[in-house]
Amino acid sequence: MKDHLQIKNIYQRYEQGQLVLENIDFSIVKNEFVAILGPSGCGKTTLLKIVAGFLVADQGAVYVNGEKVIGTNPDRIMVFQDFSQLFPWKTVLDNVIFALQAKNIGKTFAERKRLARYYLEKVELSDAFNYYPHQLSGGMKQRVALARTLAADPEIMLMDEPFGSLDNQTRSTLQNLLLDIWQEARKTVLFVTHDVTEAVVLADRIVVMTKNPGRVKEIIHNKLARPRNRMNPQFVRLTEIISEY
Amino acid sequence: MRNNKLIHRVFWIILLALIWQIIFWSGRFSPLVFPSLLDIGGTLIDSLLNGELTQQLLFSLSIIFQGLVISLVLAVFLSLAAHFSEIAASLADTLVAIAHPLPGIALMPLVLIWFGVGRQAIIFIIIHSVLWPLVLNLRTGFSSIPEIYNLVGKNYALSRMQRMIQIMAPASLPYLLVGLKIGWARAWRALISAEMLFGAVSSSGGLGWYIFQKRVFFDLPGVFSGIIVIVIIGILVEDFIFDKIEERTIKKWGMKS
Amino acid sequence: MRKLISLLLAITIFSGILSGCGANRKKNTITIADQYGLAYAPIQIMKDKNTLENQTDGIRIEWKKLANTAAIREAMLAGEVDIGFMAIPPFLIGKDKGMPWKIISGLSMSPLGLMTYKEDIQTLADISDDDRIALPQPGSIQHILLAMAAEREFGDAGRFDDQLVTMAHPDGMNALLTRKEITAHFTSPPYVFKESRDEGIHQILSGQEALGGEFSFIVGVCTEDFYQSHPEIYSVFVQALDQSIGFINNNPDLAAGILTGYYDLSQEEIKQYITWPGMVYSDKVRGLDEFIIFMQRANYIDSENMELTQLLWEVDLYEK
């Protein structure tokens, strides 16, 4: 299969000269779910920002469908960990409509409204259309962010620990929701996390990184069948193996 | 909650009015110093009905509105320029540092020489009173917009213009409103003082002029009715207009702490 | 309820304290207020020669110069000023509103003039709607004189009211001399003299023409309170004023010399001004009737009760 996203020999330094990323080099095929797993400070967020186009790497480059990435593109949408990624002055519905407008999806406002409702229903938020973000819980906010991203219909979803600030139960609910959506919508996903279980639950492949400087230590193929049961001995063993790194 | 505040306010106003009237009835003071509320009320209603006060009020309001609009446009341009360019930022900071602490009234002699007495002079004083607090607050507002909004804007390929209108404007609204409130309060005071000092053309000199005129004709109830109108406008604007705007925007959005 | 009672108690005490300020009582300090201008020259002479101080032992005399008549009137109402000097119309406006005061004496008659630099304005009729006229304030003698002239010529006392600009005399003179902002200035000495020396500036209307006769420009006024509680100071003051007026009239050279300390003018200039035709220092009060009749007719004052005994402490100073 042809590579959808190629990350080639990326080097990145802090302004003070300290190396953050050293020779990051891997590829992702279409519709693949890849998790980048590493401790905080290993540069995984920096890497994601380079892929998104928010940052330019000091060396190396990112290619999408063989084309070099220059700047941001609504075909690569980032979902942040920060709950404040929604616009507080827009209702839940309007936050989703924002993505449709930005990508010029839907001809009339009525059509956009209908589409926005559709995506919000997908993330199970049909009761909250007219709420403002400050009225939502953290989990609900991340659902809206997910719906907004889906509405923009990007080829690649870049997820920067989107469930990192949620409690355990909400987190696993949202992980399952994300998997359902991913399987239905078939997107390429690059998912950053420091939580081994999360990586094992979600990803087809897990890129394990170490810090100082950030380097790829291992790339693990996760062949566990979906849906994955967290209590399954194989699951537990894989988690233990990865935790060893 | 809101109603409570209103009831309290009405209670205190009635009580103060009552005290006033009791002092008047006590006859300890000449009515020249301490006029009856009935006289004040009568003069107020008369001069509102015969258009004397109404006309001056409209003049004052129209002039302050013009001043506010001009200041708003200038402040937005200056703050945007300062936000995107370091040279403009240091210029804006210097201008604010020089001009902000300067009371408008202190500029009066200069303004008289530059603009003469009249509308332009007063508008100039109003702009001076409003512009700097607005710039100051907009600058803070722009720089405290969470970076994540901009990242989202860039990610969804908004142009710089779209980001300004769709993100910077609503995101800095709480600061804009604070600036406008301060600006309004300063402008309203400056306006009345300027009108009293200038004694502009007498048919349209504004509320300040109305009070001045009543003063020189030794009409204390007239002076009080002018003052009452000033107070009422102040309360209306601060408690109702600004509160309503906040309720419908930043309070609803959870952006006001 | 208890709260309300204590509140009312507080109010009663408070108003009791306040009322103490206005009470009728003997004072150790007498405050005399006038304004800037050669019409007030006898006051400056009196002050300079200590005429009053020499005859009032144990009483301190304080001299105040206030910016305008309204300020003097308010200060007198507040009991801050005991004797004030002003033109007849502001006195009448105060009287009409119930101010308990009367005229002590006349002080001066003076040439007043409406000055302009515009060649094509020779009479009031030449003043267009766009022209602006500067004068000290509405209700001032300049304003009333202008209204009198407007009524006589056009049958409309308020004809120029929408064209008035309030300016203190020095500001008005500057505006006229620089030909900015205003086209005409209604003023008094020394400004009227200074302006008339400028080549392009001429007089359209004099005070006498406006009123149709001679009138006192400035009079001295005191409140009933002062008159009744300090009769001895009152009579000393009247004498001192008389002496000062006599001094100026008999020794204009010496008077001018003294006045150089109070005005930014040379002795010669001052002498020229205080002996200018129409500049008369006198304790007689003139023009009262004309002002009253006009101001009643034009609704500047309402009260019909303007008998001489109500207006002057000494009726014999009145001159028709």
Side-chain angles (χ1 to χ4, degrees):
Chain A
M1 218 190 295
K2 203 171 167 273
D3 290 335
H4 188 191
L5 178 69
Q6 287 174 285
I7 295 165
K8 278 197 172 166
N9 308 102
I10 298 266
Y11 285 81
Q12 181 78 353
R13 286 175 189 281
Y14 284 127
E15 268 173 49
Q16 304 93 315
Q18 195 195 347
L19 205 56
V20 197
L21 295 172
E22 188 185 69
N23 196 21
I24 308 295
D25 193 302
F26 63 91
S27 300
I28 304 172
V29 294
K30 199 152 179 73
N31 301 339
E32 192 181 11
F33 199 127
V34 173
I36 301 175
L37 178 67
S40 51
C42 75
K44 53 194 192 299
T45 294
T46 308
L47 179 61
L48 208 62
K49 281 189 171 169
I50 291 170
V51 176
F54 294 133
L55 293 176
V56 181
D58 292 340
Q59 273 178 51
V62 176
Y63 298 85
V64 173
N65 295 324
E67 260 181 67
K68 193 173 170 180
V69 161
I70 300 162
T72 56
N73 190 310
D75 277 335
R76 279 170 276 124
I77 295 285
M78 182 118 152
V79 182
F80 299 88
Q81 178 177 11
D82 195 339
F83 294 154
S84 65
Q85 62 192 303
L86 302 176
F87 297 126
W89 55 87
K90 286 180 187 287
T91 60
V92 165
L93 196 67
D94 287 338
N95 263 290
V96 179
I97 290 175
F98 164 81
L100 296 166
Q101 259 164 352
K103 276 204 81 177
N104 215 6
I105 299 168
K107 287 186 192 71
T108 61
F109 185 71
E111 194 182 339
R112 283 177 185 158
K113 219 164 156 173
R114 196 179 51 73
L115 278 169
R117 285 210 177 99
Y118 166 78
Y119 288 112
L120 283 167
E121 275 157 16
K122 274 208 150 163
V123 298
E124 294 157 13
L125 274 184
S126 20
D127 300 336
F129 292 160
N130 295 318
Y131 284 81
Y132 283 91
H134 74 103
Q135 297 167 304
L136 305 179
S137 67
M140 288 165 93
K141 283 181 192 166
Q142 299 308 75
R143 284 173 197 256
V144 180
L146 199 56
R148 178 170 75 182
T149 309
L150 291 173
D153 194 25
E155 289 180 31
I156 300 169
M157 284 167 67
L158 305 169
M159 311 192 79
D160 186 9
E161 298 199 54
F163 312 138
S165 303
L166 300 173
D167 62 83
N168 280 330
Q169 203 182 341
T170 315
R171 191 184 311 157
S172 45
T173 315
L174 280 182
Q175 285 163 356
N176 294 338
L177 179 72
L178 174 63
L179 279 176
D180 290 347
I181 289 168
W182 169 69
Q183 277 166 338
E184 190 191 322
R186 300 317 293 180
K187 306 260 177 221
T188 305
V189 179
L190 189 54
F191 190 107
V192 162
T193 182
H194 67 272
D195 176 351
V196 181
T197 314
E198 184 167 65
V200 176
V201 168
L202 294 173
D204 298 321
R205 268 192 306 154
I206 299 164
V207 178
V208 182
M209 287 181 69
T210 55
K211 65 173 181 180
N212 295 333
R215 250 182 296 207
V216 176
K217 186 152 192 201
E218 191 70 64
I219 296 181
I220 294 153
H221 285 262
N222 179 359
K223 299 227 167 77
L224 295 174
R226 291 189 169 97
R228 291 168 181 162
N229 182 346
R230 283 158 232 238
M231 298 299 138
N232 182 313
Q234 280 173 299
F235 187 102
V236 176
R237 237 186 72 218
L238 185 59
T239 324
E240 275 164 5
I241 293 169
I242 294 172
S243 300
E244 295 295 302
Y245 291 110
Chain B
M1 187 62 207
R2 228 194 118 67
N3 270 334
N4 239 345
K5 184 177 155 193
L6 199 70
I7 289 167
H8 284 169
R9 193 155 277 182
V10 170
F11 168 78
W12 284 113
I13 288 173
I14 289 175
L15 188 70
L16 289 172
L18 211 66
I19 294 171
W20 181 282
Q21 198 61 12
I22 288 171
I23 295 177
F24 169 76
W25 277 326
S26 77
R28 285 185 189 272
F29 300 101
S30 151
L32 288 178
V33 186
F34 219 96
S36 161
L37 274 186
L38 302 175
D39 278 350
I40 297 173
T43 310
L44 178 61
I45 291 166
D46 276 354
S47 49
L48 280 176
L49 289 183
N50 71 20
E52 193 189 357
L53 186 51
T54 325
Q55 191 193 343
Q56 305 294 16
L57 173 62
L58 290 179
F59 176 83
S60 286
L61 287 179
S62 84
I63 221 170
I64 202 170
F65 184 72
Q66 287 174 36
L68 281 172
V69 169
I70 296 172
S71 312
L72 184 60
V73 172
L74 289 176
V76 167
F77 270 108
L78 192 55
S79 313
L80 277 177
H83 188 66
F84 290 114
S85 136
E86 270 180 42
I87 296 173
S90 72
L91 172 68
D93 290 344
T94 310
L95 283 178
V96 170
I98 294 171
H100 186 54
L102 201 60
I105 293 298
L107 287 177
M108 216 66 96
L110 282 181
V111 174
L112 274 174
I113 295 169
W114 292 340
F115 299 99
V117 286
R119 212 183 174 82
Q120 290 153 311
I122 298 180
I123 289 188
F124 179 86
I125 298 282
I126 293 175
I127 292 176
H128 167 78
S129 312
V130 180
L131 182 59
W132 311 116
L134 259 187
V135 170
L136 209 60
N137 278 280
L138 275 180
R139 297 261 291 122
T140 319
F142 287 160
S143 59
S144 51
I145 295 175
E147 179 56 18
I148 197 164
Y149 297 163
N150 265 321
L151 291 181
V152 172
K154 276 185 195 161
N155 206 169
Y156 286 88
L158 298 193
S159 66
R160 178 176 276 196
M161 198 58 177
Q162 286 172 315
R163 289 213 302 275
M164 279 191 228
I165 295 166
Q166 294 188 35
I167 297 177
M168 285 178 74
S172 58
L173 191 66
Y175 293 87
L176 176 71
L177 285 178
V178 169
L180 272 180
K181 264 188 182 172
I182 297 171
W184 154 266
R186 283 177 53 144
W188 186 237
R189 285 159 183 72
L191 172 77
I192 302 296
S193 328
E195 285 171 352
M196 290 187 81
L197 259 169
F198 280 172
V201 184
S202 55
S203 64
S204 54
L207 272 177
W209 173 251
Y210 173 87
I211 292 177
F212 181 75
Q213 236 178 346
K214 293 296 164 189
R215 175 191 172 206
V216 295
F217 281 111
F218 213 51
D219 178 359
L220 206 59
V223 171
F224 273 110
S225 52
I227 292 173
I228 290 173
V229 169
I230 290 175
V231 171
I232 291 175
I233 296 295
I235 292 179
L236 277 182
V237 171
E238 274 164 43
D239 278 13
F240 289 90
I241 296 185
F242 276 114
D243 270 13
K244 273 276 173 308
I245 293 176
E246 286 189 351
E247 242 167 63
R248 286 179 187 194
T249 55
I250 56 176
K251 271 192 196 153
K252 190 162 88 177
W253 303 340
M255 287 168 74
K256 190 187 161 91
S257 43
Chain C
M1 197 60 206
R2 265 181 61 184
K3 272 186 195 163
L4 202 67
I5 289 169
S6 54
L7 197 69
L8 286 175
L9 203 69
I11 294 158
T12 321
I13 294 167
F14 178 66
S15 54
I17 293 167
L18 271 183
S19 66
C21 309
N24 197 339
R25 69 202 144 91
K26 283 268 178 191
K27 296 193 200 179
N28 297 321
T29 305
I30 299 301
T31 308
I32 299 170
D34 68 347
Q35 299 173 64
Y36 188 84
L38 280 173
Y40 302 90
I43 315 293
Q44 271 99 43
I45 299 288
M46 195 197 298
K47 179 181 173 186
D48 194 80
K49 292 169 72 102
N50 286 327
T51 327
L52 201 53
E53 285 86 341
N54 291 340
Q55 297 176 59
T56 51
D57 274 345
I59 300 269
R60 214 166 66 83
I61 309 290
E62 203 177 309
W63 304 87
K64 266 191 182 164
K65 208 167 270 301
L66 294 180
N68 56 56
T69 305
I72 293 183
R73 201 163 48 193
E74 284 149 14
M76 288 179 78
L77 184 59
E80 295 281 316
V81 166
D82 302 294
I83 298 172
F85 287 87
M86 63 191 71
I88 291 173
F91 162 75
L92 290 175
I93 289 170
K95 187 82 195 170
D96 178 54
K97 298 283 180 190
M99 184 82 183
W101 63 7
K102 294 186 193 179
I103 295 173
I104 305 170
S105 156
L107 186 68
S108 55
M109 297 192 283
S110 160
L112 302 181
L114 179 60
M115 316 298 285
T116 184
Y117 56 81
K118 272 202 178 168
E119 281 294 321
D120 50 354
I121 298 181
Q122 294 298 332
T123 67
L124 287 184
D126 299 331
I127 297 177
S128 77
D129 288 350
D130 297 331
D131 291 319
R132 295 204 182 171
I133 304 166
L135 43 76
Q137 52 185 255
S140 63
I141 187 167
Q142 290 82 359
H143 178 214
I144 298 299
L145 287 170
L146 184 64
M148 282 172 145
E151 191 201 42
R152 181 171 312 115
E153 279 198 37
F154 313 108
D156 174 12
R159 170 167 169 128
F160 298 113
D161 277 2
D162 286 352
Q163 291 165 256
L164 304 182
V165 179
T166 299
M167 283 184 178
H169 291 298
D171 298 334
M173 182 175 75
N174 283 336
L176 192 75
L177 292 178
T178 53
R179 286 144 173 82
K180 271 176 91 174
E181 212 44 53
I182 58 167
T183 42
H185 184 207
F186 207 144
T187 188
S188 54
Y191 310 98
V192 68
F193 300 147
K194 282 187 177 175
E195 287 174 11
S196 63
R197 280 197 314 218
D198 187 290
E199 287 236 332
I201 291 177
H202 61 277
Q203 183 169 305
I204 316 164
L205 176 74
S206 75
Q208 283 199 22
E209 287 161 5
L211 182 117
E214 294 200 323
F215 58 91
S216 294
F217 173 41
I218 300 298
V219 296
V221 173
C222 78
T223 59
E224 225 165 274
D225 190 21
F226 175 77
Y227 181 76
Q228 276 159 11
S229 52
H230 301 83
E232 64 301 333
I233 298 179
Y234 177 88
S235 53
V236 169
F237 176 78
V238 172
Q239 278 174 32
L241 191 61
D242 213 38
Q243 284 173 25
S244 296
I245 290 172
F247 180 81
I248 296 185
N249 290 334
N250 298 328
N251 313 287
D253 281 309
L254 284 178
I258 293 173
L259 292 171
T260 50
Y262 296 90
Y263 298 91
D264 192 17
L265 297 167
S266 71
Q267 186 173 350
E268 258 169 65
E269 263 180 303
I270 292 180
K271 195 200 162 189
Q272 191 193 353
Y273 290 160
I274 60 177
T275 55
W276 199 282
M279 190 78 222
V280 178
Y281 296 98
S282 155
D283 61 357
K284 298 286 180 261
V285 180
R286 286 188 198 154
L288 209 45
D289 287 333
E290 284 85 346
F291 278 119
I292 293 172
I293 291 165
F294 169 76
M295 287 172 74
Q296 281 172 343
R297 191 170 57 227
N299 284 325
Y300 287 105
I301 54 179
D302 302 324
S303 165
E304 298 290 321
N305 186 21
M306 289 280 175
E307 287 143 31
L308 282 185
T309 51
Q310 292 298 311
L311 300 175
L312 292 108
W313 297 116
E314 320 286 342
V315 180
D316 53 346
L317 286 175
Y318 169 77
E319 262 188 27
K320 184 75 188 161

